Amino acid sequence: MFFNHLTGLVEVLRQQGKDVQSKVLQFEVMPAPPAIASLLRIQVDERISFSRRMRYVEGKPLMLEASFMPVQLFRNLSLAHLEGSKFDYIEKECGITISGNYESLTPVLADKSLGGYLNVPEQTPLLRITSLSYSDSGEFLNYSVMFRNTRDDGSIDKAGLCI
């Protein structure tokens, strides 16, 4: 699936008047493993920022996200940026236009670990979303793997799926 207009999850849900919070669980700079380097079109072992964060809507866990971003493009990426919107950081602070996104959506079942993060029983259906964003100059900016809680308790409407 290809998207050429990106609106971040935070922006969509906040436009709906929802309380959205991000909790950063892990944030570190590390050498890019071969698979991630290939996706981001950088050299193996080039420095990347890795983050893992939970997204909450109305205090309930919605999504667990692991994200990889090249340090050479985002040298001042901070915990505060990750607690907000990466799209805002990339476009407003870094001045980089995000021109598109490749996404893949796959249904999966929660294992014990994912269930623990998302507060759902094992075997609960989840949506695995992989996302690769790129700039108008063709640079790959961010690769993310997200697990989206699909249980609808009425606090999140269908637009909450947009990332």
Side-chain angles (χ1 to χ4, degrees):
M1 198 178 302
F2 167 78
F3 297 95
N4 65 359
H5 174 73
L6 295 181
T7 302
L9 173 67
V10 170
E11 292 85 359
V12 170
L13 293 173
R14 285 192 177 141
Q15 287 170 2
Q16 297 171 2
K18 305 290 184 189
D19 176 43
V20 181
Q21 301 294 321
S22 295
K23 180 180 179 186
V24 179
L25 306 174
Q26 186 178 357
F27 178 46
E28 64 183 271
V29 173
M30 60 188 279
I36 300 301
S38 175
L39 286 166
L40 292 173
R41 292 192 195 155
I42 60 175
Q43 296 297 313
V44 172
D45 292 332
E46 188 172 316
R47 291 167 30 104
I48 58 170
S49 292
F50 168 76
S51 62
R52 183 181 321 274
R53 61 186 181 164
M54 275 298 306
R55 312 304 292 273
Y56 296 89
V57 177
E58 304 294 322
K60 297 176 182 161
L62 173 69
M63 186 177 304
L64 176 66
E65 173 193 57
S67 183
F68 306 86
M69 300 171 72
V71 168
Q72 75 178 29
L73 295 176
F74 308 110
R75 296 187 191 283
N76 68 341
L77 180 66
S78 70
L79 194 60
H81 295 123
L82 294 170
E83 288 171 343
S85 167
K86 283 188 302 187
F87 290 147
D88 276 354
Y89 165 72
I90 291 168
E91 293 195 319
K92 294 177 182 170
E93 286 193 41
C94 299
I96 297 172
T97 300
I98 302 171
S99 64
N101 191 51
Y102 296 102
E103 284 194 347
S104 169
L105 292 82
T106 309
V108 296
L109 297 176
D111 61 14
K112 185 175 183 174
S113 176
L114 284 172
Y117 279 116
L118 293 167
N119 197 27
V120 297
E122 286 184 61
Q123 302 300 304
T124 296
L126 303 174
L127 191 59
R128 181 181 188 268
I129 305 163
T130 59
S131 172
L132 182 61
S133 304
Y134 58 90
S135 71
D136 57 354
S137 64
E139 292 176 296
F140 285 109
L141 308 171
N142 176 71
Y143 174 69
S144 293
V145 177
M146 298 159 277
F147 292 92
R148 161 80 154 73
N149 185 351
T150 60
R151 291 176 60 167
D152 185 8
D153 63 4
S155 66
I156 303 162
D157 70 17
K158 292 179 184 4
L161 176 58
C162 299
I163 331 185

